[in-house]
Amino acid sequence: MIKLIATDMDGTLLNAGHEVSEENIKAIKAAQDQGITVVIATGRAFYEASSPIEPTGLKVPYICLNGAEVRDESFDIMHTSSLNREMIEQITDVLNQDDVYYQVYTNFGIYTEDPQKDLDIYIDIAEHAGQKADVEKIRNHIQHRIDQGTLKVVDNYDQITGRRGEIVMKILAYDADVEKIERVSKQLAQHSNLAISSSARGNIEITNAYAQKGIALEEIARQLGIEMKDVMAIGDNMNDVSMLERVGYPVAMENAIPEVKEYAKDITDTNEHSGVGKAINKMLVENQKHEG
């Protein structure tokens, strides 16, 4: 009997236009009407995770930055797991050694030393997803983030450290050379105090070892008095595995990478065809059978 659902965002809840479909919204509301808690679990920072959800009217808790920050339905921060100075040095030493571009995510914003690199990344991701990259649209999106203040351009990341109240929560590294990224990922994984995952081809998401979606979801379930066998999780990429391997009802998207599908009990439709909504509706039918 499912009592708690966690869904990833990019490639899962959101379509290619970064929108939540009407079918997905209705299914989430139907689950909530039956007393089921639905949680957004994403690698995004809260200020970029909440934007696509706001127009839907949905009230949900958020697991952000792969679990580095957890917020309740009122957006209040319940928990954070940050990267300390020693961890940051461990990470940046490896990345700089291999000349891998990275962004720094803090509680104040996302920092980049090179917005042109961000443009190149979006283009590369789109092309490898079989889409034609709309360069002007991507450029405008990056500029919009800069204008909003969520993406901050700095000459050097050293400018961030030491600011009062600012904590580093995630480092996102990217390189078009997938072999290089895999090598760097293995090197970073040797540090037991770090969690290494990925949300797209060519990227590495690096957080505190305790900042994982699955660990954050376990804590939410514990606070709600729900056993993990009664939890459903939906995802498409490697940063969702920590959830899928812990829950009783793991679901992979049809567009998920093959490694993620291995953890799933069920495969739903793609993110372009409201796979999340379909998975939730199927689960609600199963719940009714159990109640009957």
Side-chain angles (χ1 to χ4, degrees):
M1 182 88 173
I2 301 302
K3 301 173 184 175
L4 172 63
I5 301 168
T7 175
D8 170 52
M9 287 191 81
D10 295 282
T12 303
L13 181 64
L14 304 180
N15 59 25
H18 298 280
E19 299 159 332
V20 187
S21 72
E22 197 58 40
E23 186 177 347
N24 285 348
I25 295 168
K26 284 179 179 174
I28 290 170
K29 286 181 175 173
Q32 290 174 329
D33 287 345
Q34 294 189 24
I36 297 168
T37 300
V38 181
V39 180
I40 299 286
T42 178
R44 293 185 181 210
F46 173 73
Y47 31 83
E48 297 206 310
S50 58
S51 297
I53 304 303
E54 196 175 346
T56 69
L58 293 168
K59 296 287 183 194
V60 292
Y62 289 82
I63 295 170
C64 298
L65 300 164
N66 292 338
E69 181 181 272
V70 180
R71 296 191 183 223
D72 64 17
E73 292 93 334
S74 303
F75 308 154
D76 293 326
I77 296 172
M78 298 166 66
H79 175 75
T80 58
S81 296
S82 60
L83 293 165
N84 61 29
R85 193 177 292 271
E86 180 194 351
M87 293 173 184
I88 294 166
E89 284 175 4
Q90 287 173 343
I91 297 162
T92 54
D93 283 352
V94 172
L95 297 178
N96 290 332
Q97 186 181 320
D98 269 288
D99 193 29
V100 175
Y101 168 76
Y102 63 93
Q103 293 178 334
V104 178
Y105 285 62
T106 80
N107 55 327
F108 290 177
I110 302 165
Y111 293 85
T112 179
E113 291 178 339
D114 186 356
Q116 181 59 41
K117 278 278 191 187
D118 292 64
L119 179 66
D120 295 342
I121 288 166
Y122 279 112
I123 292 169
D124 185 69
I125 289 170
E127 288 175 351
H128 280 93
Q131 301 162 356
K132 185 172 182 352
D134 186 333
V135 177
E136 202 51 44
K137 188 176 179 182
I138 295 168
R139 197 189 302 277
N140 290 338
H141 173 64
I142 291 169
Q143 190 58 50
H144 177 66
R145 292 170 71 202
I146 292 170
D147 293 342
Q148 273 194 320
T150 55
L151 182 64
K152 302 173 188 291
V153 183
V154 289
D155 295 327
N156 191 296
Y157 289 135
D158 292 341
Q159 292 173 240
I160 304 166
T161 54
R163 286 183 183 166
R164 183 178 292 180
E166 188 158 22
I167 54 174
V168 175
M169 303 173 86
K170 183 177 92 167
I171 290 177
L172 175 68
Y174 181 87
D175 200 289
D177 184 341
V178 176
E179 286 184 11
K180 184 204 277 191
I181 279 290
E182 286 176 358
R183 185 175 69 247
V184 168
S185 182
K186 283 175 184 171
Q187 204 173 338
L188 288 167
Q190 291 172 10
H191 296 285
S192 59
N193 58 349
L194 302 176
I196 314 301
S197 62
S198 173
S199 60
R201 178 193 176 278
N203 84 9
I204 317 172
E205 302 197 345
I206 311 147
T207 55
N208 183 308
Y210 293 102
Q212 297 183 51
K213 291 184 182 184
I215 293 173
L217 184 58
E218 273 186 326
E219 179 56 23
I220 290 172
R222 188 190 65 77
Q223 289 178 7
L224 293 171
I226 296 170
E227 295 180 54
M228 290 305 286
K229 69 178 178 64
D230 296 326
V231 181
M232 172 182 176
I234 314 168
D236 75 308
N237 224 305
M238 293 308 293
N239 64 341
D240 300 314
V241 167
S242 66
M243 294 195 298
L244 299 179
E245 66 186 2
R246 283 173 163 85
V247 302
Y249 194 178
V251 178
M253 303 298 291
E254 178 57 45
N255 53 281
I257 61 172
E259 297 93 320
V260 169
K261 289 181 179 178
E262 290 175 14
Y263 289 89
K265 277 188 181 174
D266 196 12
I267 310 290
T268 188
D269 210 333
T270 67
N271 62 315
E272 289 302 302
H273 295 100
S274 304
V276 168
K278 289 182 172 71
I280 291 174
N281 287 331
K282 183 177 177 181
M283 178 277 300
L284 292 175
V285 170
E286 290 297 316
N287 266 10
Q288 283 178 337
K289 286 180 187 173
H290 283 295
E291 285 178 346

